[in-house]
Amino acid sequence: DTAVSQTPKYLVTQMGNDKSIKCEQNLGHDTMYWYKQDSKKFLKIMFSYNNKELIINETVPNRFSPKSPDKAHLNLHINSLELGDSAVYFCASSHPDLAHGYTFGSGTRLTVV
Amino acid sequence: DAKTTQPTSMDCAEGRAANLPCNHSTISGNEYVYWYRQIHSQGPQYIIHGLKNNETNEMASLIITEDRKSSTLILPHATLRDTAVYYCIVSRKSSNDYKLSFGAGTTVTVRA
């Protein structure tokens, strides 16, 4: 099925660890995004990439590093995980003309203990 | 991007139309109105968007006032599966630096 897929769906890890979340889209979209949804349920954009190029980098700690090996993939690597990083992370993609808005993945629930 | 104001929550009866209001009094001429929804534990789902004309698709209708300062999302026949948080977002439809900014949304509960 055409979709935005994220792995893993759940991630539980200890403070100080380094972890990665992978995202892939087979919609042919040029732009991909990472959003964070915290416990208060607000969705905040973190990064966006267009054709492997970083376009938007919100005020996110340097411990978060996105990597886009090609325009169909946008991975999120997090170093030295902290308790406050616990959240649901959503990947999304969009076509340049935004005819159908963003397509979001199903999310990765990260729990730092 | 212009900010939006939505009611915090609303209930509606199954089978009836659900009308979700959104105020965006500071909207600019090149900004679109987008609606998304997020069903519990899922990623947000695009519903519809418009600039100034009313729009309809298989999910919903979007009514935008003539001055564009407010809009209403209409779910014609609400079902229990429409229970979700609905987000009204106003944003430019530009190219690379486009970004959607989500507010608190309206929590819609459809009751049997």
Side-chain angles (χ1 to χ4, degrees):
Chain A
D1 290 341
T2 55
V4 177
S5 58
Q6 299 178 225
T7 55
K9 189 171 176 63
Y10 299 96
L11 186 53
V12 180
T13 187
Q14 291 186 327
M15 283 173 46
N17 284 351
D18 303 338
K19 291 293 178 184
S20 292
I21 305 172
K22 295 184 177 180
C23 179
E24 175 182 5
Q25 56 94 4
N26 59 2
L27 298 164
H29 291 166
D30 290 329
T31 309
M32 297 184 71
Y33 312 83
W34 277 109
Y35 276 79
K36 178 182 179 181
Q37 188 168 39
D38 59 23
S39 57
K40 295 182 179 179
K41 303 297 184 183
F42 284 102
L43 270 160
K44 296 181 180 178
I45 189 167
M46 301 173 69
F47 304 101
S48 80
Y49 269 74
N50 182 269
N51 275 324
K52 302 191 296 178
E53 181 184 353
L54 179 65
I55 301 299
I56 294 174
N57 185 350
E58 295 293 291
T59 51
V60 178
N62 291 335
R63 299 181 295 103
F64 290 79
S65 54
K67 285 186 172 51
S68 182
D70 55 62
K71 77 173 192 175
H73 295 83
L74 181 62
N75 304 322
L76 183 64
H77 189 75
I78 314 170
N79 290 327
S80 304
L81 278 155
E82 301 177 356
L83 293 176
D85 298 331
S86 295
V88 182
Y89 293 84
F90 289 99
C91 177
S93 70
S94 68
H95 189 275
D97 71 358
L98 295 165
H100 299 290
Y102 286 19
T103 302
F104 281 83
S106 57
T108 295
R109 182 174 294 276
L110 172 65
T111 303
V112 182
V113 296
Chain B
D1 294 332
K3 290 186 176 179
T4 62
T5 303
Q6 300 178 250
T8 303
S9 63
M10 62 183 296
D11 288 358
C12 66
E14 187 179 22
R16 304 294 293 271
N19 297 319
L20 282 62
C22 179
N23 287 325
H24 31 79
S25 58
T26 60
I27 191 170
S28 300
N30 63 348
E31 288 181 318
Y32 286 71
V33 180
Y34 285 85
W35 282 86
Y36 284 75
R37 74 179 183 183
Q38 187 174 23
I39 297 171
H40 182 63
S41 297
Q42 297 182 22
Q45 177 189 22
Y46 165 82
I47 301 173
I48 200 169
H49 76 280
L51 182 62
K52 54 183 178 181
N53 296 325
N54 298 338
E55 303 287 344
T56 295
N57 63 20
E58 64 280 3
M59 289 182 68
S61 295
L62 174 60
I63 309 298
I64 303 174
T65 58
E66 193 169 342
D67 63 8
R68 303 208 323 123
K69 293 184 177 182
S70 65
S71 60
T72 301
L73 179 74
I74 302 173
L75 307 177
H77 304 287
T79 70
L80 298 179
R81 288 177 294 180
D82 292 323
T83 293
V85 179
Y86 287 77
Y87 299 97
C88 170
I89 303 165
V90 171
S91 190
R92 292 176 296 115
K93 193 180 179 184
S94 62
S95 55
N96 295 348
D97 62 348
Y98 174 88
K99 64 179 180 180
L100 281 178
S101 296
F102 289 80
T106 297
T107 299
V108 174
T109 303
V110 180
R111 302 191 185 280

